[in-house]
Each structure stands twice: as C-alpha cells, then as structure tokens.
C-alpha cells in the first residue's frame, strides 16, 4: 500500500522512476494498473531475485539521483502458531537489506540522497502526558517470539544498523541519508481489487470495526497513533527535494492529529455520519469495539517545519478506507 502510493506520488511530482520488485506478480499488478498507465514513459522495472546478495542493488541504482527504500518483511500472524527462527527469517534479512541498499547507493557516483522507510516502532513511547521525539530510540525486544515483537525488533535493528553504517562509512560530501518514522498507516489501498483485499494489511482494524464478527475473544488493543498513507507517500517524495536543507542522519515522525493518539471507536461515529445508508441497510455493522493502545504525544513539529507537510486528519483516513470498502462491496453485490 505504501509502496504503490509513494510510486504514484513520485510520478505525479514529475520524477522518472525505476521500481525494484522481487516478485513477478507484483510487477504485473503495478505496471498494468490504470493509475500508472499515464506514466508509462516515466517508469521502468528492475527485478532482483535475491535482495540479500552482496551488491544486489548495485546495477539498479546506477544513474539514479535519489533512492526511496521501502522494502520490509512483515511476519504473518500465522507464524505465531509455529516455531520460527526469527533471526534467520526476519531480523538478519531486515538488517542486511537496509545496509545493502546504502552500500550500493554509496558505490554509485550519482546518488545524492537515500530516504528510507522506518517506523514509529523504533521509538520508546512516552507515557501519556509526555512527548517522544524522533531520536528517542527503543532497545530491540529480547527474544522476540510472536509476529508483532518480531516485526518491531526487525524495524529497530534495521534502523540502528543503518544509522551505525552511516556513521562509519565515510560517505561522499554530497550524499545524505534520511529516515521517516510513520505511525500506524491507514488509507485507501489502490491495489485492492475487491473488498477482502481492502482489509489486507493495516486497514484491517477499520474494516473489522464495521463488519460483524464471530470472535469469542475480545479484540487486542491496537496502536492508535495513526497516519494517512498518502501523507507517508508525500513525505518520502518531499524529502527528496534538493531545495530542502536536511542534514544527513535526520529522522522525521509521520503522525496525524499532532502526534496524539486517537480512539479507534471514534471511527464508528465517522462511519455513521458519512455512510448512514450503508449502516441502515446492513452493509456496514457498527456492533464491535476496538481498544486503543494510547501513548504520549509524538513530536511532529520538525516534520511540519522542514518538509512542510500538512497531515490529513483521522476522519479523512477513515472515510477513504471505508469509502473504498463500500464501493467494492456494492460492486460485488451488483454482479
């Protein structure tokens, strides 16, 4: 979702792009998408079968001025039911991939900046009433066992490894590295072709709120500091601008609502106000609740000042997700 949104944002902003993909089905889905077709002459695709091989990105980055690195392995929750080697399957690849793209970038004489997708999970959340800044880093969880702690550990370790690499690699003077730390990402998924695909990924928390459920156990509290997917995409493209003075090693937090946690159940009020007919006819069900994992405020002031980003509201994000879901549901019911 973030990858496609960022590609579209870059193309709409006038950049020529080279997209690195690992799987052929991803390539076909992107290349044939109706939103990409108008930019056929501005996008090319490069396949990299194994991104963890030393020098895997060397040829892909040649001639590029800027790199946006978005790739990250997300453990499936099904992994919670089986024993996995977290180091071998997720943690080591996350670190090797993050450092590998930087090494290839520095070997290219043309690359001037790398903008990398990190996560709010790399920060140590402050308690309610306090503020967390973009450099208040957390320690990686020891012995991560379930999909959520494995994912957080991978994010923290790759962030730390990238930072450490840049402090020891002696990059060229014109080269800079920026990391963006988005909160929980929600928003319209332009790659979704049916209602079930809208639920895939982080939009699941919103879709679950408006659908009937047979769960016998209460829902798990979810992170409730959020950001619209289009703002994540926009931030990556804005951070490329040669007109912005951004010191290498900078990090920026991406979060709506001034970095303050929201209440997931507030989404039900937004849905009722925006889609009353869908609620009344039973297409949407507002019977569930979703506990929120609230923290202190995250400081987005530097993001707004340096990047000039005006974050979309939680309400806009909810409307975009549920609007797409209703649109596809109605289409499926019609035929």
């Amino acid at each position: 979702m973030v990858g496609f949104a960022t590609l579209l944002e870059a193309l709409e902003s006038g950049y020529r792009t080279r997209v690195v993909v690992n799987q052929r089905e991803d390539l076909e889905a992107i290349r044939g998408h109706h939103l990409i077709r108008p930019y056929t002459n501005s996008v090319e695709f490069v396949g990299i079968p194994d991104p963890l091989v030393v020098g895997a990105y060397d040829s892909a980055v040649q001639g590029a001025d800027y790199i946006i690195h978005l790739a990250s392995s997300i453990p499936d929750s099904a992994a919670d039911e089986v024993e996995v080697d977290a180091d071998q399957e997720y943690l080591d690849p996350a670190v090797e991939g993050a450092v590998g793209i930087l090494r290839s970038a520095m070997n290219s004489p043309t690359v001037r900046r790398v903008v990398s997708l990190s996560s709010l999970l790399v920060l140590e959340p402050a308690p309610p009433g306090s503020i967390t800044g973009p450099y208040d880093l957390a320690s990686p969880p020891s012995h991560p066992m379930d999909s959520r702690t494995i994912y957080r550990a991978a994010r923290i370790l790759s962030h730390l490894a990238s930072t450490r690499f840049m402090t020891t690699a002696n990059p060229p003077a014109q080269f800079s590295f920026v990391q963006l730390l988005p909160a929980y990402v929600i928003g319209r998924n332009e790659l979704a072709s049916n209602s079930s695909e809208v639920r895939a990924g982080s939009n699941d928390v919103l879709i679950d709120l408006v659908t009937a459920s047979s769960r016998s156990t209460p829902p798990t509290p979810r992170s409730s500091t959020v950001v619209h997917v289009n703002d994540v995409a926009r931030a990556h493209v804005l951070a490329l601008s040669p007109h912005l003075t951004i010191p290498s090693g900078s990090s920026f937090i991406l979060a709506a609502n001034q970095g303050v946690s929201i209440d997931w159940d507030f989404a039900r009020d937004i849905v009722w106000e925006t889609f009353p007919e869908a609620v009344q006819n039973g297409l949407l069900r507002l019977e569930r609740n979703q506990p929120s994992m609230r923290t202190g405020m995250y400081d987005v002031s530097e993001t707004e000042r340096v990047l000039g980003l005006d974050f979309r509201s939680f309400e806009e994000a909810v409307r975009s997700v549920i609007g797409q879901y209703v649109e596809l549901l109605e289409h499926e019911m019609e035929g």
Side-chain angles (χ1 to χ4, degrees):
M1 182 166 74
V2 171
F4 186 85
T6 304
L7 170 61
L8 191 59
E9 181 71 32
L11 291 169
E12 291 175 344
S13 298
Y15 286 94
R16 291 183 58 84
T17 63
R18 181 181 299 148
V19 182
V20 175
V21 292
N22 299 331
Q23 298 183 19
R24 185 169 183 81
E25 54 266 31
D26 294 336
L27 185 155
E28 298 302 333
I30 297 170
R31 182 161 55 189
H33 198 282
H34 71 278
L35 292 175
I36 300 299
R37 290 192 203 115
Y39 302 100
T40 301
N41 294 330
S42 298
V43 59
E44 61 179 290
F45 296 88
V46 177
I48 296 183
D50 187 354
L52 301 182
V53 171
V54 175
Y57 296 101
D58 284 357
S59 61
V61 305
Q62 291 304 310
D65 295 315
Y66 308 102
I67 295 172
I68 296 178
H69 184 226
L70 302 170
S72 177
S73 297
I74 302 177
D76 194 304
S77 59
D80 297 342
E81 308 301 323
V82 297
E83 186 174 342
V84 298
D85 186 331
D87 289 326
Q88 181 177 344
E89 295 189 34
Y90 297 107
L91 306 186
D92 292 343
V95 170
E96 292 165 10
V99 172
I101 190 70
L102 288 174
R103 187 177 290 114
S104 292
M106 289 177 57
N107 287 336
S108 167
T110 60
V111 175
R112 288 180 276 174
R113 181 174 295 163
V114 174
V115 179
S116 182
L117 174 68
S118 183
S119 171
L120 206 66
L121 293 173
V122 307
L123 302 179
E124 189 64 53
S130 301
I131 301 176
T132 297
Y135 305 102
D136 296 328
L137 299 178
S139 299
S142 57
H143 310 296
M145 296 299 295
D146 60 80
S147 58
R148 291 188 182 185
T149 56
I150 290 173
Y151 179 66
R152 185 175 191 227
R155 280 300 195 185
I156 294 173
L157 290 171
S158 59
H159 185 99
L160 293 174
S162 299
T163 303
R164 186 164 51 248
F165 177 82
M166 289 300 299
T167 60
T168 60
N170 192 28
Q174 78 277 9
F175 184 86
S176 61
F177 175 56
V178 177
Q179 299 193 84
L180 301 184
L181 285 56
Y184 193 90
V185 182
I186 53 177
R188 185 181 179 93
N189 180 2
E190 295 292 0
L191 287 176
S193 59
N194 57 61
S195 58
S196 62
E197 290 179 356
V198 177
R199 187 186 180 280
S202 50
N203 282 334
D204 63 341
V205 62
L206 286 175
I207 301 304
D208 286 350
L209 263 174
V210 299
T211 54
S213 173
S214 58
R215 285 184 185 176
S216 58
T217 57
T220 304
R222 301 288 288 272
S223 174
S224 59
T225 306
V226 302
V227 63
H228 195 297
V229 64
N230 290 353
D231 287 335
V232 179
R234 183 64 179 153
H236 279 84
V237 175
L238 287 172
L240 300 179
S241 174
H243 304 297
L244 295 180
T245 302
I246 304 178
S248 186
S250 295
S251 293
F252 297 98
I253 293 173
L254 307 179
N257 198 37
Q258 295 295 305
V260 178
S261 302
I262 52 86
D263 186 337
W264 281 115
D265 285 346
F266 177 48
R268 293 184 302 187
D269 296 333
I270 300 169
V271 171
W272 173 252
E273 293 171 1
T274 311
F275 308 99
E277 185 176 340
V279 175
Q280 291 167 352
N281 65 23
L283 200 62
L284 302 178
R285 307 281 293 274
L286 303 181
E287 302 165 358
R288 294 192 58 193
N289 71 308
Q290 172 59 57
S292 300
M293 191 182 298
R294 301 181 71 88
T295 63
M297 186 173 78
Y298 288 91
D299 186 0
V300 298
S301 59
E302 280 298 281
T303 310
E304 295 172 331
R305 184 184 70 82
V306 176
L307 299 185
L309 188 63
D310 185 14
F311 288 101
R312 293 169 173 82
S313 67
F314 175 59
E315 290 87 342
E316 186 171 347
V318 171
R319 293 185 187 109
S320 72
V321 174
I322 305 304
Q324 182 184 26
Y325 182 68
V326 169
E327 172 189 321
L328 290 173
L329 266 182
E330 290 177 339
H331 178 72
E332 290 161 6
M333 293 174 65
E334 289 171 359

